[in-house]
Amino acid sequence: MPANRLMPTEESADLIELTRSIVDKELRPAVDGFEREARFPRDVFRTLGRAGLLGLPYPEELGGGGQPYEVYLQVVEEIATAWAAVGVGTSVHALSCFGLFEAGTDAQKEQWLPDMLAGDLLGAYCLSEAHAGSDPAAMRTRAVREGDEYVLNGAKAWTTHGGEADFYKVMARTSDDGGRGISCFLVPADTPGLTADHPEQKMGLMSSTTATMLLGVV
């Protein structure tokens, strides 16, 4: 039974109805097959992107939906009622865009964010490491500046969309100053030296690929 949601505006109520329609027509009929075969549903994310549901908490001028998190999170809940893996992926994608939105230059935002928020580019978030899951300050992946570029070296564990994403938001150490010595990098999937290890064998969310990302002098 659908939740009786109290939405802040008529527009946000319409977004919930749109989400439910897409869920019923596109997600529910497909979820069992994708989960059974552990197939990644890339086209589903494109569908959500075309409907404007992947960039809801970001400004409209950048291609987002201009909605508060109160609305965005309820949309994610509606998606997850039918397909938990896609709900997780929607959240991960939005999080992957956050660093660029908050700290990127205007030129970087104009270059990347419209395609990110439209779902044409799907993101992944690389923070955890095998020895530093709940303690990011202990990370060892390092970024060293060489001229006008940074060279990254290390490995990132349990990456949702690992090997499937078009870009990776990678946290790497740029100094030895504990948690303050960590910087954020946007790494395109086709960057030489960036590879995905074999997907993790999981008990659920089978259509959501999880893998260690290897940064071999990226």
Side-chain angles (χ1 to χ4, degrees):
M1 179 177 179
N4 183 18
R5 298 190 180 276
L6 298 176
M7 306 306 293
T9 64
E10 184 175 341
E11 180 184 17
S12 62
D14 290 342
L15 277 171
I16 291 295
E17 291 307 311
L18 171 64
T19 303
R20 288 174 174 171
S21 176
I22 292 173
V23 164
D24 288 340
K25 293 177 181 178
E26 304 286 346
L27 273 64
R28 291 191 196 280
V31 57
D32 288 347
F34 276 84
E35 286 292 306
R36 183 170 54 252
E37 299 168 14
R39 284 189 289 132
F40 186 74
R42 183 64 180 88
D43 284 342
V44 171
F45 290 104
R46 291 190 179 95
T47 296
L48 296 176
R50 286 194 295 268
L53 300 181
L54 290 186
L56 287 177
Y58 295 99
E60 292 182 83
E61 58 267 27
L62 292 172
Q67 296 294 320
Y69 272 85
E70 172 191 5
V71 173
Y72 157 67
L73 292 173
Q74 292 191 71
V75 166
V76 172
E77 286 181 346
E78 289 289 339
I79 293 169
T81 60
W83 199 335
V86 175
V88 169
T90 300
S91 176
V92 165
H93 176 73
L95 181 62
S96 301
C97 299
F98 184 75
L100 178 60
F101 171 69
E102 282 291 311
T105 66
D106 289 341
Q108 288 172 328
K109 293 177 185 179
E110 291 174 6
Q111 177 183 353
W112 288 96
L113 277 176
D115 286 341
M116 290 175 168
L117 300 181
D120 294 327
L121 297 177
L122 188 67
Y125 181 85
C126 300
L127 174 64
S128 297
E129 299 183 4
H131 62 282
S134 58
D135 181 16
M139 73 170 57
R140 296 171 186 162
T141 296
R142 187 167 290 273
V144 178
R145 188 158 191 167
E146 294 187 2
D148 294 332
E149 299 180 342
Y150 279 90
V151 176
L152 281 68
N153 195 357
K156 291 295 180 177
W158 312 300
T159 303
T160 301
H161 299 169
E164 300 288 351
D166 300 299
F167 69 92
Y168 294 83
K169 176 182 173 182
V170 180
M171 304 297 183
R173 181 164 298 288
T174 47
S175 82
D176 294 320
D177 188 17
R180 295 180 180 275
I182 297 171
S183 300
C184 178
F185 298 86
L186 190 152
V187 182
D190 60 358
T191 301
L194 177 66
T195 58
D197 205 352
H198 295 294
E200 301 286 351
Q201 299 298 308
K202 302 182 297 185
M203 296 177 66
L205 301 179
M206 303 303 293
S207 62
S208 176
T209 304
T210 305
T212 294
M213 296 305 299
L214 307 174
L215 298 103
V217 190
V218 172

